[in-house]
Amino acid sequence: GNSVTQMEGPVTLSEEAFLTINCTYTATGYPSLFWYVQYPGEGLQLLLKATKADDKGSNKGFEATYRKETTSFHLEKGSVQVSDSAVYFCALISGGGADGLTFGKGTHLIIQP
Amino acid sequence: EAGVAQSPRYKIIEKRQSVAFWCNPISGHATLYWYQQILGQGPKLLIQFQNNGVVDDSQLPKDRFSAERLKGVDSTLKIQPAKLEDSAVYLCASSIRGGPSEKLFFGSGTQLSVL
């Protein structure tokens, strides 16, 4: 079956630090990969996605590259801000999408001024 | 554009009681999902509707959980009777067609505490 493994948190960084949140997956076929973010008090929202190998998704300064050879989709940002504090979820969907999204456990990111 | 609406925001019940959650998806979205998010875990799909038909309910505990989506718009999720392990946030999401690379729009969720 499908599964997503992401680094456990909380991850605490200082403002302007470089961020990496690791995500690896197992899936049948060729999944689409996603990062969703949940800001305090808000619902989950899509941050970025990639639908095929070597695609790079990007949004709000965040990037992630679909690496089929390492089955990874690591999230990176060059300079984090306090407003990036949130819980980040790596997720995938495979096949025709009938099984819905499979999520990782989430990584709580805390950015200190 | 209005987002996905869920109610209630919080619910506290005792075990063996019943509870119902309501979801109104974004207008025009054909696909509706219910997810269960237990504290410290990622959301887990319970059921997926395409219009008013069920696409996938393989992870729905059917002995106690039920869901319906009348007229292909609003949806309700019911638990009867509730167990302690049902304490979680119940998330509703919708998407335009349910395609594999489509963006899901999530509601704020209903936080259920079973005592």
Side-chain angles (χ1 to χ4, degrees), chain B residues 1-76:
Chain B
E1 176 182 79
V4 176
Q6 289 189 248
S7 66
R9 189 74 176 88
Y10 304 94
K11 191 72 177 178
I12 301 174
I13 61 172
E14 295 188 350
K15 60 182 179 183
R16 291 188 289 273
Q17 286 187 324
S18 62
V19 64
F21 313 126
W22 173 82
C23 172
N24 182 251
I26 293 174
S27 177
H29 282 197
T31 310
L32 185 147
Y33 312 79
W34 283 102
Y35 282 83
Q36 179 193 57
Q37 185 177 12
I38 294 173
L39 186 64
Q41 298 182 22
K44 182 185 83 171
L45 180 68
L46 292 176
I47 189 167
Q48 177 180 344
F49 291 95
Q50 187 73 15
N51 297 307
N52 60 349
V54 175
V55 173
D56 178 28
D57 63 357
S58 57
Q59 298 193 83
L60 187 74
K62 299 181 187 64
D63 57 333
R64 298 184 299 106
F65 286 64
S66 65
E68 61 181 8
R69 189 183 185 198
L70 298 176
K71 299 181 182 178
V73 183
D74 293 6
S75 177
T76 55

Side-chain angles (χ1 to χ4, degrees), chain A residues 36 49 89 93 98-99 101 104, chain B residues 35 42 45 48 56 100-101 104:
Chain A
Y36 277 80
K49 69 178 183 182
F89 292 90
I93 194 165
D99 296 333
L101 282 166
Chain B
Y35 282 83
L45 180 68
Q48 177 180 344
D56 178 28
S101 61
L104 265 63

Side-chain angles (χ1 to χ4, degrees), chain A residues 55-111:
Chain A
D55 267 3
K56 178 186 284 186
S58 62
N59 185 25
K60 299 182 180 180
F62 290 88
E63 293 183 340
T65 301
Y66 189 143
R67 301 288 187 199
K68 185 170 179 289
E69 64 276 12
T70 55
T71 61
S72 65
F73 193 54
H74 305 321
L75 183 68
E76 297 181 335
K77 187 174 184 181
S79 176
V80 292
Q81 305 300 313
V82 172
S83 56
D84 294 327
S85 297
V87 181
Y88 292 80
F89 292 90
C90 186
L92 69 83
I93 194 165
S94 63
D99 296 333
L101 282 166
T102 298
F103 284 89
K105 291 187 176 182
T107 302
H108 187 192
L109 175 65
I110 301 169
I111 307 301

